């Protein structure tokens, strides 16, 4: 392996404009920040540069390295493609070696990738007009993603979720969630906790609005976070020198002030009290063919005392009042409401005095649910394949019908009529399941 002078590498790295497609910022097993390119990698702590000796058997030089998410498993580094489908193994001699060649792609963009107990996991993501809350693990024997569990019910998915792994638990942070049926986003008031040993699920209430510096308008900037051994850090929306590191296991956080502003364009790495990141470079749009970035780093100059999460004293009283109202008022009302069935009479869906009119596609969908109790996603997509249009267009037609029907039912009947869930026979597929009592009336 070739070495270059440390000072010379340092000077070149922190002054040179870099093509974002040609580099990936990662960490090795010893927590050393490393910069991976198509031809070499550089240890940013020692400033040693190592050339790859061999070439891989696929078109590695055209791979957009900046789009990959890196993760450490045991003694190795793996990188996952931006759509959450393809896994690469980093080799210090050859660069990246592709492990799988998936047929399903473009489904899990912006998913959270993490490791635990020798495995790679993937949570959430967006694709095919749906936001996900599914968790998969990568199977190194079959080189496939295996479905584990769906965190949210009733067709909901996470928006810009982030994760912290600590003591066998996965903490899921997502201020907003999305209803895939109605295509509507809503606030989320909980931190979800998944036990990675038995996959049991728990949650606790968390007030994102109490921390507007870090959760502005309940949306994250996509790259304003970093992971550390003490928790997950978020860079302030108002002061780019300020960050807060949240420990969701111990329900506490502390703030850190850095010696320079963090204006990052790509991933942020926290290693031994130093932040490494890739910031956008000056760009005049004429003299340069690409929008470059530069490597930068900063370190803390002040750490503020640890604080516990905000606790509202009246929450407990409010909870008691809600529980009392539930048992005294709501439970009897629920029994009354559940006693009234939905009736499908021709192209009219009726419950009590409320009716809605169905179009032919909506009618097909509900008639299938009445007869079978559920319908798989592929069958429903095939229903729209009547004019030899593209598969993506038929998927879009299906999603538009589901969204329109879900909104129509919920706005008129105030009910969720069906849910989307993983198939029992193939966890990679999904089915729509009827959740209300529905009868056929006379036409």
């Amino acid at each position: 392996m070739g070495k270059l002078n440390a000072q010379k590498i340092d000077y070149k790295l922190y002054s040179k404009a870099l093509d974002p497609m040609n580099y990936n910022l990662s960490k090795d097993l010893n927590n050393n920040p490393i910069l991976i390119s198509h031809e070499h990698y550089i240890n940013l702590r020692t400033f040693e540069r190592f050339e790859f000796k061999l070439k891989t058997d696929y078109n590695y030089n055209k791979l957009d390295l900046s789009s990959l998410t890196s993760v450490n498993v045991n003694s190795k580094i793996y990188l996952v493609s931006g759509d959450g489908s393809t896994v690469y193994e980093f080799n210090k001699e050859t660069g990246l070696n592709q492990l799988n060649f998936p047929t399903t792609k473009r489904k899990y963009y912006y998913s959270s990738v993490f490791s635990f107990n020798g495995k790679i996991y993937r949570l959430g993501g967006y694709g095919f007009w749906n936001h996900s809350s599914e968790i998969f693990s990568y199977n190194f024997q079959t080189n496939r993603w295996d479905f584990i569990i769906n965190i949210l019910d009733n067709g909901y998915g996470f928006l810009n979720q982030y994760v912290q792994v600590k003591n066998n638990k996965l903490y899921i942070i997502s201020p907003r969630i999305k209803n895939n049926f109605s295509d509507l986003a809503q606030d989320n008031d909980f931190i979800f906790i998944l036990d990675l040993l038995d996959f049991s699920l728990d949650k606790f209430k968390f007030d994102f609005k109490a921390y507007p510096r870090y959760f502005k308008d309940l949306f994250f900037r996509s790259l304003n976070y970093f992971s550390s051994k003490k928790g997950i850090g978020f860079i302030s929306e108002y002061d780019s020198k300020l960050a807060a590191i949240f420990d969701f296991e111990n329900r506490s956080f502390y703030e850190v002030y850095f010696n320079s502003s963090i204006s990052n364009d790509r991933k942020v790495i926290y290693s031994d009290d130093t932040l490494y990141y890739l910031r956008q470079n000056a760009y005049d749009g004429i003299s340069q063919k690409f929008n470059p970035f530069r490597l930068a780093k900063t370190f803390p100059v002040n750490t503020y005392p640890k604080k516990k999460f905000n606790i509202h004293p009246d929450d407990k009283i409010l909870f008691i009042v809600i529980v009392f109202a539930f048992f005294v008022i709501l439970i009897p009302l629920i029994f009354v409401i559940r006693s009234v069935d939905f009736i499908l009479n021709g192209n009219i869906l009726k419950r009590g005095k409320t009716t809605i009119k169905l179009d032919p596609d909506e009618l097909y969908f509900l008639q299938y649910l009445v007869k079978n109790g559920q319908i798989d996603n592929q069958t429903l997509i095939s229903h729209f394949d009547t004019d030899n249009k593209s598969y993506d267009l038929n998927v879009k037609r299906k999603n538009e019908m589901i969204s329109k029907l879900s909104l129509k039912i919920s706005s008129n009947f105030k009910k969720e009529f069906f849910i989307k869930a993983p198939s029992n026979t193939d966890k990679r597929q999904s089915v729509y399941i009827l959740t209300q009592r529905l009868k056929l009336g006379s036409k």
Side-chain angles (χ1 to χ4, degrees):
M1 292 185 180
K3 288 187 178 182
L4 297 178
N5 181 271
Q7 291 183 343
K8 188 176 182 180
I9 286 289
D10 181 58
Y11 172 76
K12 285 187 175 181
L13 279 179
Y14 289 94
S15 62
K16 182 181 179 182
L18 305 173
D19 186 338
M21 291 186 62
N22 295 335
Y23 293 91
N24 183 277
L25 185 61
S26 184
K27 285 195 294 188
D28 66 14
L29 180 64
N30 299 318
N31 204 40
N32 292 312
I34 63 173
L35 194 63
I36 300 172
S37 80
H38 294 111
E39 295 85 20
H40 60 264
Y41 78 95
I42 299 172
N43 185 320
L44 298 180
R45 184 172 295 155
T46 63
F47 295 104
E48 294 175 326
R49 168 174 166 158
F50 302 95
E51 301 286 341
F52 299 138
K53 291 184 176 180
L54 305 173
K55 296 295 181 182
T56 53
D57 57 358
Y58 66 98
N59 202 350
Y60 175 44
N61 288 333
K62 291 186 178 180
L63 184 62
D64 182 0
L65 297 181
S66 68
S67 68
L68 306 181
T69 301
S70 62
V71 61
N72 297 87
V73 180
N74 297 328
S75 61
K76 295 183 178 180
I77 300 173
Y78 295 89
L79 294 99
V80 180
S81 62
D83 66 351
S85 65
T86 310
V87 180
Y88 303 88
E89 180 184 69
F90 174 68
N91 185 295
K92 292 184 177 180
E93 295 288 333
T94 62
L96 297 188
N97 300 314
Q98 187 170 347
L99 298 184
N100 66 329
F101 296 85
T103 55
T104 301
K105 296 184 177 182
R106 299 178 296 149
K107 191 175 181 182
Y108 298 99
Y109 287 103
Y110 316 116
S111 56
S112 295
V113 179
F114 61 96
S115 64
F116 173 76
N117 203 20
K119 291 184 177 181
I120 303 173
Y121 290 87
R122 180 186 70 204
L123 166 68
Y126 173 79
F128 299 111
W129 301 278
N130 277 287
H131 291 266
S132 171
S133 68
E134 299 170 323
I135 284 191
F136 292 80
S137 69
Y138 187 75
N139 190 321
F140 286 101
Q141 280 69 47
T142 62
N143 283 322
R144 295 180 61 179
W145 290 99
D146 295 336
F147 174 79
I148 301 296
I149 192 174
N150 205 7
I151 303 297
L152 302 176
D153 297 325
N154 300 324
Y156 280 88
F158 293 117
L159 283 174
N160 299 328
Q161 77 288 332
Y162 298 89
V163 297
Q164 174 190 357
V165 178
K166 198 168 184 182
N167 294 335
N168 303 331
K169 301 291 180 66
L170 176 72
Y171 295 84
I172 304 169
I173 305 102
S174 182
R176 303 273 281 177
I177 58 178
K178 188 73 170 288
N179 185 326
N180 290 310
F181 292 147
S182 63
D183 199 35
L184 296 176
Q186 66 186 60
D187 295 348
N188 170 43
D189 298 322
F190 296 95
I191 301 296
F192 292 89
I193 309 169
L194 183 70
D195 190 313
L196 293 171
L197 296 178
D198 61 12
F199 299 109
S200 59
L201 188 63
D202 196 3
K203 63 182 179 180
F204 66 84
K205 196 169 184 180
F206 182 77
D207 186 6
F208 288 100
K209 293 181 181 179
Y211 308 95
R213 290 180 177 179
Y214 308 105
F215 310 117
K216 180 183 178 183
D217 296 330
L218 297 187
F219 281 101
F220 287 101
R221 286 167 52 196
S222 60
L223 296 166
N224 76 326
Y225 74 100
F226 55 90
S227 297
S228 75
K229 292 181 180 179
K230 296 179 181 179
I232 182 168
F234 293 95
I235 301 163
S236 171
E237 294 281 355
Y238 301 104
D239 184 350
S240 57
K241 291 184 179 181
L242 181 66
I245 296 179
F246 289 82
D247 181 353
F248 289 100
E249 179 188 40
N250 296 308
R251 317 286 175 91
S252 63
F253 74 102
Y254 66 95
E255 292 178 303
V256 180
Y257 205 75
F258 292 90
N259 77 325
S260 59
S261 297
I262 306 160
S263 177
N264 57 308
D265 189 49
R266 293 294 187 273
K267 189 175 181 180
V268 180
I269 293 293
Y270 192 57
S271 175
D272 289 348
D273 289 331
T274 301
L275 278 184
Y276 298 82
Y277 56 96
L278 300 167
R279 64 178 176 85
Q280 191 169 343
N281 196 18
Y283 176 57
D284 58 20
I286 299 174
S287 61
Q288 302 182 59
K289 296 180 180 180
F290 59 90
N291 195 352
F293 61 71
R294 291 188 181 183
L295 181 67
K297 63 181 179 179
T298 184
F299 57 86
V301 293
N302 193 8
T303 300
Y304 300 95
K306 182 180 290 188
K307 300 177 183 178
K308 289 291 184 181
F309 291 162
N310 289 354
I311 299 174
H312 303 289
D314 56 345
D315 278 356
K316 189 173 182 180
I317 297 175
L318 179 62
F319 176 76
I320 294 173
V321 172
I322 292 174
V323 170
F324 177 78
F326 180 80
F327 281 100
V328 173
I329 301 173
L330 296 182
I331 287 183
L333 183 61
I334 289 172
F335 278 110
V336 172
I337 294 174
R338 285 176 60 87
S339 64
V340 182
D341 291 328
F342 286 88
I343 298 175
L344 186 60
N345 195 351
N347 66 338
I348 300 297
L349 181 64
K350 179 179 180 181
R351 190 169 191 257
K353 295 183 179 180
T354 305
T355 62
I356 60 173
K357 189 175 181 179
L358 306 171
D359 66 29
D361 295 326
E362 295 169 341
L363 181 60
Y364 167 82
F365 176 65
L366 291 185
Q367 286 177 335
Y368 199 104
L369 288 181
V370 174
K371 182 178 179 180
N372 301 284
Q374 66 180 39
I375 181 173
D376 65 81
N377 193 50
Q378 192 57 50
T379 298
L380 192 54
I381 294 172
S382 299
H383 165 73
F384 290 90
D385 188 18
T386 58
D387 49 6
N388 295 320
K389 297 295 184 181
S390 69
Y391 179 81
D392 285 351
L393 180 59
N394 291 327
V395 170
K396 184 176 181 179
R397 290 170 173 174
K398 184 268 297 182
N399 287 338
E400 288 177 348
M401 184 275 291
I402 289 292
S403 177
K404 177 183 173 184
L405 179 59
S406 177
L407 182 60
K408 190 188 298 184
I409 291 174
S410 62
S411 60
N412 285 276
F413 298 113
K414 312 303 179 186
K415 286 284 185 180
E416 292 291 342
F417 202 72
F418 48 86
I419 62 172
K420 186 178 181 182
S423 170
N424 290 328
T425 57
D426 187 350
K427 298 300 184 182
R428 296 170 298 171
Q429 304 299 323
S430 57
V431 296
Y432 295 93
I433 302 173
L434 184 66
T435 58
Q436 303 293 333
R437 292 193 295 183
L438 177 63
K439 294 181 179 180
L440 289 175
S442 57
K443 298 183 179 180

